[in-house]
Amino acid sequence: MNGKEKKEQNKGGRKPKANPSIHRYVFRLTDEENAKFLTFFEQSGMKVMAHFITACIFQKPVKTVKIDMDAVDFHTRLTNFYSQFRAVGVNYNQIVKILYRNFSEKKASAYLFKLEKQTAEMADLCRKVIELTQEFEKEHLQKHG
C-alpha cells in the first residue's frame, strides 16, 4: 500500500487543463487571401496565430498598431534641430560676454548690432519652423477618435 501512494504522488507531466481545447478545424486559403490574412495578423501585433484567428471569429477586439515612419523621422529631425537651436542660444550668450570683455563699448555695440540682425533672421526662421510643425501635427499626427 505504501508503494501505491508513492506512485500517485510522483505522477509526472503537466496538470490537466480544466477546459482543454480539443476541437480542430481546417480551412484553406488562396495565395491572395493568405497574403491578406498574414497582413492582418502582422498588423495585430499578436504573437500566436491561433489566438488571432479565435479573436477574429468571435469578434473580440483585435488591436492593430501602425507606426508612421514619416512621423518618427519628422520627430527625430525636429528634436535634432531644437538641440542645435539651443546650442546657438548658448553660443550667443558666450559671444556677448566675450565682446564686452575684449572690446571697447563702442566696438562691442557695433558687433552686437550685426549679431542682432542675424538673430532677428533666425527668430523669423524659428517662427516658420513652428508654423510648419503645427501644420504637420494637425494634418498627420492628430488621433482620429
Side-chain angles (χ1 to χ4, degrees):
M1 194 152 157
N2 241 354
K4 211 176 198 185
E5 288 178 15
K6 283 185 181 179
K7 281 187 181 179
E8 288 180 28
Q9 288 178 351
N10 292 333
K11 186 177 178 185
R14 292 185 184 175
K15 293 181 180 178
K17 292 183 177 179
N19 188 11
S21 300
I22 57 172
H23 303 285
R24 180 182 177 127
Y25 296 94
V26 177
F27 61 95
R28 301 191 190 287
L29 300 173
T30 64
D31 288 339
E32 188 177 302
E33 292 170 336
N34 188 50
K36 203 173 196 181
F37 171 77
L38 291 175
T39 303
F40 290 144
F41 174 65
E42 288 172 5
Q43 287 177 350
S44 73
M46 291 180 145
K47 305 278 188 234
V48 182
M49 200 174 286
H51 294 168
F52 172 72
I53 293 170
T54 55
C56 289
I57 291 172
F58 296 114
Q59 297 177 350
K60 294 178 185 172
V62 176
K63 294 181 183 177
T64 55
V65 178
K66 186 175 180 182
I67 298 173
D68 186 1
M69 291 310 291
D70 291 336
V72 171
D73 186 45
F74 174 77
H75 182 266
T76 304
R77 289 175 188 245
L78 185 64
T79 302
N80 290 340
F81 179 75
Y82 179 71
S83 62
Q84 289 175 1
F85 192 75
R86 286 187 56 147
V88 168
V90 170
N91 291 342
Y92 184 86
N93 289 339
Q94 291 173 349
I95 288 172
V96 171
K97 287 179 185 177
I98 290 171
L99 284 175
Y100 277 112
R101 190 174 354 130
N102 296 333
F103 295 104
S104 67
E105 183 93 17
K106 190 175 182 180
K107 206 169 195 180
S109 295
Y111 284 127
L112 279 176
F113 180 72
K114 290 180 182 179
L115 185 62
E116 195 174 307
K117 283 184 179 179
Q118 296 297 319
T119 304
E121 288 179 25
M122 195 168 85
D124 288 340
L125 179 66
C126 186
R127 275 189 222 98
K128 289 177 185 175
V129 168
I130 290 172
E131 288 173 10
L132 287 173
T133 302
Q134 290 171 342
E135 181 181 322
F136 180 83
E137 287 175 347
K138 189 187 306 178
E139 291 181 17
H140 300 288
L141 299 181
Q142 294 298 320
K143 292 183 180 179
H144 300 292

